[in-house]
Amino acid sequence: MAGVTRTVMQEIVEKVGGLHAGGKQVRAYLGDPPANPPLPYAFTWGPPAIPRAPDIAGRGRDVNQVIRVQAVAGTAANALDLADTIITALAGWAPTVPGWRVFPLTVTDATNVQSDNSTVVAETNRNPRWVSIGLRVQATQRQE
C-alpha cells in the first residue's frame, strides 16, 4: 500500500515537468517548491495512500483519493493557460506503478485563480497567480 500515491505524484511531476507554457518549460516539484523558482511552475501534493476497502486480512488493496497539482504563473491568464495545459496532459492519463493497476486520472475540481500576496516576482514586481487542480487517483493492487 505504502508508496502507490507517492509514486503517482512523482509520475505526475515528471509528466508536468515535460510541458511548456508561454514558451517556457514548466518546472515541476513534489511537495513544496524551492524558494522563488522561475515561473511557470507546478507542484504536486496530497495525502499518503489511504486504503479504501480492506480484504479479510485487513489489508487495503484499493486506493481512491484526491491529490492536488498547483499551477503557478505570472498573471491570471497565464495561470489559467497553465492549468488548462496540465489538465489536458493529465485527465484520462493512467500513471504506471509496479504492482498496481492505476485507473485513468479524473479531474475533480479546480480553484479560481488566486494571488500569492506573500511573494513578489523580481522581474515583474507582481504577485504570482495560481490555480489548484484536484485529481482523483484510483488504483487496485495486483494479485501476484
Side-chain angles (χ1 to χ4, degrees):
M1 173 64 61
V4 64
T5 303
R6 184 180 274 286
T7 302
V8 168
M9 287 189 278
Q10 187 60 48
E11 291 270 328
I12 288 170
V13 167
E14 291 173 20
K15 188 160 183 85
V16 170
L19 299 176
H20 287 81
K24 298 179 181 178
Q25 184 164 356
V26 177
R27 289 174 174 78
Y29 307 97
L30 178 59
D32 293 331
N36 301 315
L39 299 173
Y41 66 91
F43 58 99
T44 302
W45 79 98
I50 301 168
R52 183 177 69 179
D55 64 13
I56 196 157
R59 295 174 299 203
R61 297 198 184 277
D62 294 324
V63 171
N64 181 7
Q65 59 197 97
V66 175
I67 61 172
R68 314 255 354 137
V69 176
Q70 191 152 319
V72 184
T75 66
N78 289 347
L80 288 170
D81 287 344
L82 178 55
D84 286 341
T85 299
I86 290 170
I87 289 169
T88 299
L90 298 179
W93 172 67
T96 301
V97 178
W100 289 84
R101 178 176 180 226
V102 181
F103 296 91
L105 301 176
T106 57
V107 177
T108 60
D109 66 303
T111 63
N112 290 324
V113 175
Q114 305 287 317
S115 179
D116 179 0
N117 295 326
S118 68
T119 304
V120 176
V121 178
E123 303 85 50
T124 63
N125 201 33
R126 298 175 72 175
N127 304 105
R129 307 298 198 269
W130 56 270
V131 174
S132 183
I133 304 158
L135 295 165
R136 180 162 310 281
V137 175
Q138 295 177 304
T140 302
Q141 193 171 27
R142 295 188 190 277
Q143 301 297 317
E144 303 294 323

